[in-house]
Amino acid sequence: MITVENLSKSFWGNTGPVVAIDDVTLDVPTGTITGVVGPSGSGKSTLARLVALQERPDSGVIRVDGFNTAALDPRRLRAARRRIGVVTQGDLLPQRTAAGNIALPLEQAGVDGPQRREKVGKLLDLIGLTDKAARYPDTLTDGQRARVEVARALVGDPGLLLADDPTRSLDSDGAAGVLTVLDRARAELGATVLVVTSDAGVVRRIADDVVLLEDGKVTESGNLLSLVQDSASQVARTLLPSIDVPKGATAGYDRVAEVVLIGFAAVGALLPEATARFGSTISVIGGGLTRVGETPVARFLLGVNGGWADQSLTWIAERGGVVRPQVGLARTVAA
């Protein structure tokens, strides 16, 4: 759907040119949710404007459905922009109801009344606000207004839905509601979703793929569940529970290992079964549980005691656990 190739963009600042995007290449796979995450100033919003075709890059190519947008004439460029739904924030018209705000692009496009009402009704159901159709924006919560803005971006059946920091300034309930709507847009409408955010929790909650952006450059990208299994991955360090243990907490164990477990079966059963099978004592020294989408993921620092400590860890690894022995943190196992 969207392919970005060697994209660069600079602006003039007080001291000269400032590079916002530097040779960025990425794919947004069709039918997925891709999260672009990075700190403030990393170039995320600039990248979002470029992908939305709201600005032109200094160099590089943006392809929409395989077409190089730089080579499109004005008419075809407008058509390409219509294929991209952009979620705005704080842009609802106060004098129009929730339904009226969603319907506005359809009215501007000349869609007749019955078709508008049918389309708006389906989107109100998608965002869970059918009962708020006649409410005005100032009577809705921040989270509800944000969901209306998502619905308005979806009203033209875009192939790509682009949301730049969609949970900014929302409380936890409001943010969860918006992320649920983005997930439903992908699952029920078949939209490809690109979410740009500084909140790693947003990526962990809904993304299939992730792009890590720093200082305008892509430093890491790929399938999210694959990256969290990679010990060298910065995404894994960012998204998985941290392991903070007091000094001396690892003393007294035959083996100490960091273990990442993915999936209900692994998280719920591998450690108890290894204990029962090998007679080892397995203790969780640090770490914790989280979820990547709907998949539970655990990152633990384990202390293992018993003559079969090595075999216990090997058995866990053979069944899908990612095991990283901590050298120098364990005593020698007795024969």
Side-chain angles (χ1 to χ4, degrees):
M1 173 60 194
I2 294 286
T3 303
V4 172
E5 301 171 2
N6 307 112
L7 208 64
S8 294
K9 179 73 174 179
S10 298
F11 300 97
W12 280 95
N14 295 331
T15 59
V18 176
V19 178
I21 295 295
D22 187 2
D23 197 31
V24 166
T25 294
L26 63 90
D27 289 321
V28 183
T30 300
T32 66
I33 298 179
T34 297
V36 177
V37 64
S40 176
S42 61
K44 301 185 306 299
S45 291
T46 300
L47 179 62
R49 291 192 298 272
L50 292 170
V51 170
L53 307 181
Q54 296 171 344
E55 295 183 9
R56 286 189 176 273
D58 298 332
S59 61
V61 175
I62 301 169
R63 299 186 188 277
V64 178
D65 293 335
F67 294 99
N68 180 357
T69 57
L72 299 179
D73 60 38
R75 181 183 63 81
R76 295 175 70 193
L77 183 60
R78 287 193 297 272
R81 286 186 181 128
R82 287 195 292 271
R83 295 282 295 141
I84 303 170
V86 180
V87 180
T88 58
Q89 292 183 317
D91 199 29
L92 297 181
L93 296 178
Q95 70 273 24
R96 295 180 73 103
T97 64
N101 269 285
I102 298 170
L104 182 59
L106 297 176
E107 293 177 18
Q108 294 170 335
V111 177
D112 64 35
Q115 286 182 291
R116 288 201 310 269
R117 287 189 289 274
E118 180 182 6
K119 184 66 175 180
V120 171
K122 288 180 179 178
L123 288 172
L124 284 166
D125 179 64
L126 181 86
I127 66 174
L129 292 178
T130 300
D131 60 337
K132 303 292 192 298
R135 298 275 291 272
Y136 290 90
D138 63 354
T139 68
L140 300 174
T141 67
D142 291 343
Q144 289 168 343
R145 285 194 293 273
R147 282 187 270 163
V148 172
E149 288 163 343
V150 174
R152 187 173 59 183
L154 287 166
V155 77
D157 296 320
L160 175 71
L161 180 65
L162 193 155
D164 184 1
D165 212 0
T167 61
R168 183 178 64 234
S169 303
L170 298 181
D171 60 22
S172 58
D173 288 341
V178 170
L179 297 182
T180 296
V181 169
L182 294 177
D183 197 28
R184 291 188 69 185
R186 182 267 304 268
E188 298 179 24
L189 302 181
T192 300
V193 182
L194 180 64
V195 179
V196 177
T197 181
S198 56
D199 184 353
V202 169
V203 173
R204 186 170 54 235
R205 167 71 172 78
I206 64 169
D208 304 297
D209 286 45
V210 62
V211 176
L212 186 61
L213 199 64
E214 292 186 353
D215 297 324
K217 291 180 175 289
V218 173
T219 58
E220 195 170 42
S221 64
N223 177 266
L224 186 52
L225 281 175
S226 296
L227 287 174
V228 299
Q229 300 177 67
D230 182 355
S231 60
S233 168
Q234 189 174 346
V235 168
R237 292 193 295 272
T238 301
L239 297 185
L240 294 183
S242 60
I243 296 177
D244 300 311
V245 297
K247 185 177 181 180
T250 60
Y253 293 103
D254 296 324
R255 288 289 181 267
V256 175
E258 179 186 334
V259 175
V260 176
L261 305 173
I262 297 175
F264 290 95
V267 171
L270 280 186
L271 300 188
E273 190 169 345
T275 298
R277 181 179 293 265
F278 296 98
S280 303
T281 301
I282 300 178
S283 303
V284 175
I285 304 171
L289 289 164
T290 189
R291 281 181 179 267
V292 175
E294 296 302 316
T295 304
V297 178
R299 182 191 185 202
F300 295 136
L301 186 65
L302 300 181
V304 186
N305 280 328
W308 292 78
D310 284 330
Q311 289 87 340
S312 299
L313 294 173
T314 298
W315 184 86
I316 292 171
E318 289 172 347
R319 278 146 187 83
V322 181
V323 178
R324 302 160 190 152
Q326 306 296 290
V327 178
L329 296 181
R331 64 194 183 205
T332 302
V333 179

Coordinates of all heavy atoms in Angstrom, one line a residue, residues 31 119 122-123 126-127 150-151 153-155 157-159 161 181-193:
G31 N -3.0 -4.3 5.3 CA -3.8 -5.0 6.3 C -3.2 -5.1 7.7 O -3.7 -5.9 8.5
K119 N -23.7 5.4 5.9 CA -22.3 5.3 6.2 C -22.0 5.8 7.6 O -21.2 5.2 8.3 CB -21.5 6.2 5.2 CG -20.0 6.1 5.3 CD -19.5 4.7 5.0 CE -18.0 4.7 5.0 NZ -17.5 3.4 4.7
K122 N -22.9 3.3 10.3 CA -21.9 2.1 10.4 C -20.7 2.6 11.2 O -20.2 1.8 12.0 CB -21.5 1.6 9.0 CG -22.7 0.9 8.3 CD -22.2 0.4 7.0 CE -23.3 -0.4 6.3 NZ -22.9 -0.9 4.9
L123 N -20.2 3.8 11.0 CA -19.0 4.3 11.6 C -19.3 4.6 13.1 O -18.4 4.4 14.0 CB -18.4 5.5 10.9 CG -17.8 5.2 9.6 CD1 -17.4 6.4 8.8 CD2 -16.6 4.3 9.7
L126 N -19.0 1.4 14.7 CA -17.6 1.0 14.8 C -16.9 1.6 16.0 O -16.2 1.0 16.7 CB -16.9 1.3 13.5 CG -15.4 0.9 13.5 CD1 -15.3 -0.5 13.0 CD2 -14.6 1.8 12.6
I127 N -17.2 2.9 16.3 CA -16.5 3.6 17.3 C -17.3 3.5 18.7 O -16.8 4.1 19.7 CB -16.2 5.1 17.0 CG1 -17.5 5.8 16.8 CG2 -15.4 5.2 15.7 CD1 -17.4 7.3 16.6
V150 N -11.5 9.8 14.5 CA -11.1 8.6 13.7 C -12.2 8.2 12.7 O -11.9 7.9 11.6 CB -10.8 7.4 14.7 CG1 -10.5 6.1 13.9 CG2 -9.6 7.7 15.6
A151 N -13.4 8.2 13.2 CA -14.5 7.9 12.3 C -14.5 8.8 11.1 O -14.8 8.4 9.9 CB -15.8 7.9 13.0
A153 N -12.1 10.3 9.7 CA -11.0 10.0 8.8 C -11.3 8.7 8.0 O -10.7 8.5 6.9 CB -9.7 9.8 9.6
L154 N -12.2 7.9 8.5 CA -12.5 6.6 7.8 C -13.7 6.7 6.8 O -14.0 5.8 6.1 CB -12.9 5.5 8.9 CG -11.7 5.0 9.7 CD1 -12.3 4.2 10.9 CD2 -10.9 4.1 8.8
V155 N -14.3 7.9 6.8 CA -15.6 8.0 6.1 C -15.4 7.8 4.6 O -16.4 7.4 3.9 CB -16.3 9.4 6.4 CG1 -15.6 10.5 5.7 CG2 -17.8 9.3 6.2
D157 N -13.5 5.6 3.1 CA -13.0 4.3 2.9 C -11.5 4.3 2.5 O -11.2 3.7 1.4 CB -13.8 3.5 1.9 CG -15.2 3.3 2.3 OD1 -15.4 3.0 3.5 OD2 -16.2 3.4 1.5
P158 N -10.6 4.9 3.2 CA -9.2 5.0 2.8 C -8.6 3.7 2.9 O -8.9 2.8 3.7 CB -8.6 6.0 3.8 CG -9.5 5.8 5.0 CD -10.9 5.6 4.5
G159 N -7.6 3.5 2.0 CA -6.8 2.3 2.1 C -5.8 2.3 3.3 O -5.5 1.3 3.9
L161 N -5.0 4.4 6.9 CA -5.4 5.3 8.0 C -4.2 5.7 8.8 O -3.5 4.9 9.3 CB -6.4 4.6 8.9 CG -6.9 5.5 10.1 CD1 -7.8 6.6 9.6 CD2 -7.7 4.6 11.1
V181 N -10.6 1.3 18.6 CA -11.2 1.7 17.3 C -10.2 1.5 16.1 O -10.6 1.0 15.1 CB -11.7 3.2 17.4 CG1 -12.0 3.7 16.0 CG2 -12.9 3.3 18.3
L182 N -8.9 1.9 16.3 CA -7.9 1.7 15.3 C -7.8 0.2 15.0 O -7.7 -0.2 13.8 CB -6.6 2.3 15.7 CG -6.5 3.8 15.9 CD1 -5.2 4.2 16.4 CD2 -6.9 4.5 14.6
D183 N -7.8 -0.6 16.0 CA -7.7 -2.1 15.8 C -8.9 -2.6 15.0 O -8.8 -3.4 14.1 CB -7.6 -2.8 17.1 CG -7.1 -4.2 17.0 OD1 -6.4 -4.5 16.0 OD2 -7.4 -5.0 17.9
R184 N -10.1 -2.1 15.4 CA -11.4 -2.5 14.7 C -11.4 -2.0 13.2 O -11.9 -2.7 12.3 CB -12.6 -2.0 15.4 CG -12.8 -2.6 16.8 CD -14.2 -2.2 17.3 NE -15.3 -2.7 16.6 CZ -16.6 -2.5 16.8 NH1 -16.9 -1.6 17.8 NH2 -17.5 -3.0 16.1
A185 N -10.8 -0.9 13.0 CA -10.7 -0.4 11.6 C -9.9 -1.3 10.7 O -10.3 -1.6 9.6 CB -10.1 1.0 11.6
R186 N -8.8 -1.9 11.3 CA -8.0 -2.8 10.6 C -8.8 -4.2 10.4 O -8.9 -4.7 9.3 CB -6.7 -3.1 11.3 CG -5.7 -4.0 10.6 CD -5.9 -5.5 11.1 NE -5.7 -5.5 12.5 CZ -4.6 -5.8 13.1 NH1 -3.5 -5.9 12.4 NH2 -4.5 -5.9 14.4
A187 N -9.4 -4.6 11.5 CA -10.0 -6.0 11.5 C -11.3 -6.0 10.7 O -11.6 -7.0 10.0 CB -10.2 -6.4 13.0
E188 N -12.1 -5.0 10.9 CA -13.5 -5.0 10.3 C -13.6 -4.3 9.0 O -14.4 -4.6 8.1 CB -14.5 -4.4 11.3 CG -14.5 -5.2 12.6 CD -15.5 -4.6 13.6 OE1 -16.4 -3.9 13.2 OE2 -15.3 -4.9 14.8
L189 N -12.8 -3.3 8.7 CA -12.8 -2.5 7.5 C -11.7 -2.8 6.5 O -11.7 -2.4 5.4 CB -12.8 -1.0 7.8 CG -14.0 -0.5 8.7 CD1 -13.8 1.0 8.9 CD2 -15.3 -0.9 8.1
G190 N -10.7 -3.6 7.0 CA -9.6 -3.9 6.2 C -8.6 -2.8 6.0 O -7.8 -2.9 5.0
A191 N -8.7 -1.7 6.8 CA -7.8 -0.6 6.6 C -6.3 -1.0 7.1 O -6.2 -1.7 8.0 CB -8.3 0.6 7.4
T192 N -5.4 -0.5 6.3 CA -4.0 -0.5 6.8 C -3.8 0.7 7.7 O -4.2 1.8 7.3 CB -3.0 -0.5 5.6 OG1 -3.3 -1.6 4.7 CG2 -1.6 -0.5 6.0
V193 N -3.1 0.5 8.8 CA -3.1 1.6 9.8 C -1.6 1.9 10.1 O -0.8 1.0 10.3 CB -3.8 1.2 11.1 CG1 -3.7 2.4 12.1 CG2 -5.2 0.8 10.8

